[in-house]
Amino acid sequence: MFDSDLGTDEGSVVRRRVFLVTSASALAGAVLWSLRRPNLVQAKPEEVTIVEFSDSGERLKTVHVPKLVKTDEEWHKQLSRGVFAITRQADTELAYSGEYWNLHEKGLYRCICCDNALFTSGTKFDSGTGWPSFWAPIARENVRTTRDASLGMVRTAVSCTECDAHLGHVFDDGPEPTGLRYCMNSASLKFVARQVTGISSK
Ligand SMILES: [Zn+2]
């Protein structure tokens, strides 16, 4: 009785096969999906810690943000060819050619790529090199240093923590109190003049 119910009906066998095939592809899809998931997770940008500053140079708060990651194509749309070569390919501008080596105005220097605050006029000094030079970053969290063995010498490269933009190099022949010289490319920076405040309508 049971035998005839289960095995002899052609239609039910075919239907069962179709069901099995469908289930198998659904299962394969699920397996593929689950295999891909970890890659998606790994592709998430690294989280970095930076200190935010207002345009007037006031230290606001320490934040954890995803690192800003863009393709070369996206950076090209945002940056001029020269700025792209310096910030994304670690090129160096010619000495005395940049916008800021001789700037003495009070203000803040942000990253040209992502607006992360990097330096202030308060630590800028005249190094005589033709590049804007600072004895300290605005916050140690906001820049990163890496070993750079290019061009037949060993130097310490400085980059933006938030977007990895190449900024320049740091040397140990700077003035007190740190003895450091952050030798930057003007092209990597965007100067924000300090707003004159204190005039109140009240
Ligand atoms: Zn940046």
Side-chain angles (χ1 to χ4, degrees), residues 66 74 107 135 138 156-157 160 192 201:
E74 288 168 326
W135 50 259
I138 196 166
T156 303
C160 169
V192 183
S201 57

Side-chain angles (χ1 to χ4, degrees), residues 14-118:
V14 169
R15 274 198 300 277
R16 187 136 51 107
R17 277 192 189 141
V18 168
F19 170 76
L20 281 174
V21 168
T22 314
S23 305
S25 20
L27 183 65
V31 168
L32 272 177
W33 181 82
S34 66
L35 283 174
R36 283 179 172 195
R37 288 292 291 169
N39 291 337
L40 287 176
V41 171
Q42 280 168 8
K44 256 180 76 173
E46 173 195 351
E47 192 167 88
V48 292
T49 301
I50 56 163
V51 183
E52 289 183 336
F53 287 82
S54 70
D55 279 351
S56 56
E58 187 190 359
R59 190 181 176 110
L60 299 176
K61 58 181 190 287
T62 302
V63 293
H64 307 288
V65 292
K67 177 171 272 195
L68 182 64
V69 178
K70 293 187 182 184
T71 63
D72 281 355
E73 198 181 357
E74 288 168 326
W75 285 124
H76 269 300
K77 280 184 193 157
Q78 180 185 332
L79 309 169
S80 71
R81 190 188 295 255
V83 173
F84 178 88
I86 290 166
T87 56
R88 313 317 311 181
Q89 297 176 317
D91 200 357
T92 298
E93 70 194 12
L94 290 173
Y96 302 102
S97 75
E99 209 177 334
Y100 301 136
W101 68 270
N102 201 24
L103 183 72
H104 299 288
E105 263 191 78
K106 289 198 182 338
L108 190 72
Y109 294 83
R110 294 189 180 277
C111 176
I112 191 75
C113 295
C114 76
D115 276 346
N116 182 23
L118 300 170

Side-chain angles (χ1 to χ4, degrees), residues 85-86 89-92 146-158 166 168-169 171 185:
I86 290 166
Q89 297 176 317
D91 200 357
T92 298
T146 49
R147 187 176 184 275
D148 175 10
S150 65
L151 304 178
M153 49 187 157
V154 176
R155 294 175 295 172
T156 303
V158 182
H166 173 74
H169 292 87
F171 303 92
N185 290 285

